[in-house]
Amino acid sequence: MRSIVSGGDGLLAFHIANELADKAQIHLLDIDEFHASDYPAGVTWAKCDVRDKVALERELKAADVILHAAAGRPLWKPQDIIELKVDGTRNGRETAGTWGARHVVHINATDGDGGREKSRPAQRGPTPAPATDERGVGGWGQGMTACGWPTWRR
């Protein structure tokens, strides 16, 4: 079974790859660098921005399972996070239908671990606190609300 995971450099993809590499063919997609030494043998990777529908279609052609976990980083500009969450999710959904993936899972989160340096083998720098709007909502939360998710109040 070929499983594609967007957000391939994230914490979730890291754990999925390590848990399932001996049970399925895991192919990670991300716009960041791939550090092969972090992953089990056989895990493959492609540099792919889920906002680029043509690139995404190329990567999803032979997928049985698509796990869409691309989320952006809290320090990205809010508009970039919104585009990633809205356009990236739409592209994944439409492409999955076109190519006949049997299962599609969408997970909407970002840096929920407080930064990958606390949980990843290779430290790539801390995740500073994101800027927020007048409601105290950062770019990630703004992306969530753009997708129709409620904003939590403090």
Side-chain angles (χ1 to χ4, degrees), residues 9-11 32 72-76 81 110-120 123-131 140:
D9 188 47
L11 180 67
D32 287 332
R73 302 279 184 228
L75 292 180
W76 284 15
I81 294 172
T110 188
D111 278 347
D113 63 326
R116 10 178 209 190
E117 72 281 358
K118 296 178 182 174
S119 52
R120 294 288 304 273
Q123 182 173 352
R124 294 193 256 297
T127 304
W140 179 80

Side-chain angles (χ1 to χ4, degrees), residues 55-137:
L56 191 60
E57 286 177 345
R58 181 179 58 245
E59 296 300 328
L60 297 183
K61 280 186 181 179
D64 297 303
V65 176
I66 299 169
L67 184 114
H68 175 56
R73 302 279 184 228
L75 292 180
W76 284 15
K77 294 176 185 171
Q79 187 58 38
D80 291 337
I81 294 172
I82 290 167
E83 288 173 2
L84 178 74
K85 290 187 170 295
V86 176
D87 297 339
T89 299
R90 180 183 307 115
N91 289 344
R93 184 185 66 234
E94 290 173 359
T95 301
T98 300
W99 295 108
R102 295 185 319 185
H103 305 282
V104 178
V105 178
H106 176 228
I107 296 181
N108 201 339
T110 188
D111 278 347
D113 63 326
R116 10 178 209 190
E117 72 281 358
K118 296 178 182 174
S119 52
R120 294 288 304 273
Q123 182 173 352
R124 294 193 256 297
T127 304
T132 60
D133 66 11
E134 67 281 354
R135 301 171 295 168
V137 178

